[in-house]
Amino acid sequence: ALMILDSVKSLLWALLMMCIIIYVFAILFTESATVYLTGNRDYSVPMEEDIEMISVISRYFGSLSRTLYILVQCMLNGISWGV
């Protein structure tokens, strides 16, 4: 029984580390998306494509909680990066 408790302790530490890593990446992605969305518009991209890209970025990385949710979905194969 003591070995099982030691294993659970290690599992909890691993989950905590994974949560911290996901949280740090969520902060980085949200900050990058915010900088992009508040930055200057790229006039080399046609207006329709730019509006669509802004919509997608806002939908996926518009807030920290949404970014965390999207990263967990990607990790658990609930959403694909390529689509």
Side-chain angles (χ1 to χ4, degrees):
L2 190 57
M3 287 185 224
I4 293 174
L5 290 177
D6 287 340
S7 296
V8 169
K9 181 180 167 185
S10 296
L11 175 67
L12 290 176
W13 279 113
L15 288 174
L16 178 67
M17 283 301 297
M18 187 175 65
C19 289
I20 290 171
I21 290 169
I22 291 172
Y23 187 71
V24 167
F25 274 98
I27 290 171
L28 291 174
F29 287 164
T30 304
E31 181 184 7
S32 297
T34 304
V35 167
Y36 178 80
L37 292 175
T38 58
N40 296 329
R41 175 171 148 37
D42 183 10
Y43 290 101
S44 65
V45 177
M47 187 66 150
E48 298 83 26
E49 292 178 15
D50 196 33
I51 291 173
E52 182 180 335
M53 186 176 358
I54 288 172
S55 172
V56 169
I57 291 172
S58 295
R59 184 173 18 141
Y60 286 150
F61 307 110
S63 68
L64 185 61
S65 60
R66 183 67 183 161
T67 304
L68 281 167
Y69 180 68
I70 292 297
L71 287 176
V72 170
Q73 275 189 328
C74 291
M75 183 181 66
L76 297 176
N77 204 20
I79 196 169
S80 177
W81 282 108
V83 176

